[in-house]
Amino acid sequence: GGGGGGGGGDAASGVRGFWFDFGDRTMGKRRAGVGAFRAPFVVAYNADYEAQYDKKGRPRPSRPFNLTVVCVPTSAGRSRAIIFGGSQPETKEARRARRRQQATEGAEAAEAADKKPPSSPASLLFKLLPVWLGHLFSNRFLDSDLAFLHYQEQVVRTRGGEAAGSYFMPTQSDRCIAALRRWLSSHALSGLPASSASGPHAGLGPLPPPIYSRDALFDHFTQHTSHCRHCQAAVSALADWRKRTYRVLAAALLLGVRFWLARLVGVACLGLLRLYVVVEKQFQVGEYKHWQNH
């Protein structure tokens, strides 16, 4: 399955991929930009947020949105997603254009163009978080789509047709998915040997049986933790902190008979032990409940 933005087209389509424009609203702000599917497995999004102004009517500098997903097939029905973001380096052409604009508009405009946008409180907080916590958030983000993509791909194969014929896809956000399916039919399957699959999927081979166990479908340890040094280090650290917390709890129980402060420490230790269990489980298996996603 593929993903799409808030709307756009599949212009410049060819064997190397295609580009599309998109627009949506996130965190209370509108954004619009251009995305690209770079064959065979890279999708990149580059967008800008809507202009915001201060009390004097001057535009506030804003940070662009950049996200790249590398989705590498590893076996039938499985892929490894590598996600990264951040600002792209300025090209020579863009640097020359900016300098020409600064020379034309004067020193005040040049100073405004060179001024870096201030970091939002959310971005400052995110920088302080450990890497493994960001990975847990990313796993949850992937879980929100994983079940849909897994079962929808199975249904498309069963019906033996294109996604557009197997599902009702009337919106602009569906156009990117339709374009990806057309690209697969036109370019990805050429030269592959025939298989038991027929129609547009000939050459891809059969998919493994559907996964109905949620623990198997959202198996974070196999999918991520076992391959990630940051998350493995976090799991080891949690085990060490659990031992230390038990020691403090034992001391608090001995001293709690005489000192009320020791009782508070004991209660805090019990809360920490419960928190360790919740966090550690996220490294093992996801618990995303789609019916609670309002």
Side-chain angles (χ1 to χ4, degrees), residues 39 43 72 74 100 115 134 149 186 211 233 263 270-272 293:
V43 179
V72 184
T74 57
R100 286 195 298 268
K115 185 178 180 181
L149 295 178
S186 301
I211 301 174
R263 301 172 192 172
L270 292 175
L272 285 175
N293 185 24

Side-chain angles (χ1 to χ4, degrees), residues 113-158:
D114 288 335
K115 185 178 180 181
K116 292 184 178 180
S119 298
S120 64
S123 63
L124 291 175
L125 177 62
F126 190 78
K127 292 178 181 178
L128 297 176
L129 297 178
V131 175
W132 60 265
L133 188 57
H135 288 187
L136 292 186
F137 289 145
S138 297
N139 286 338
R140 186 172 178 81
F141 167 74
L142 293 173
D143 289 346
S144 66
D145 287 333
L146 179 60
F148 293 112
L149 295 178
H150 175 70
Y151 295 121
Q152 286 172 354
E153 186 68 24
Q154 296 278 352
V155 170
V156 170
R157 291 290 192 94
T158 302

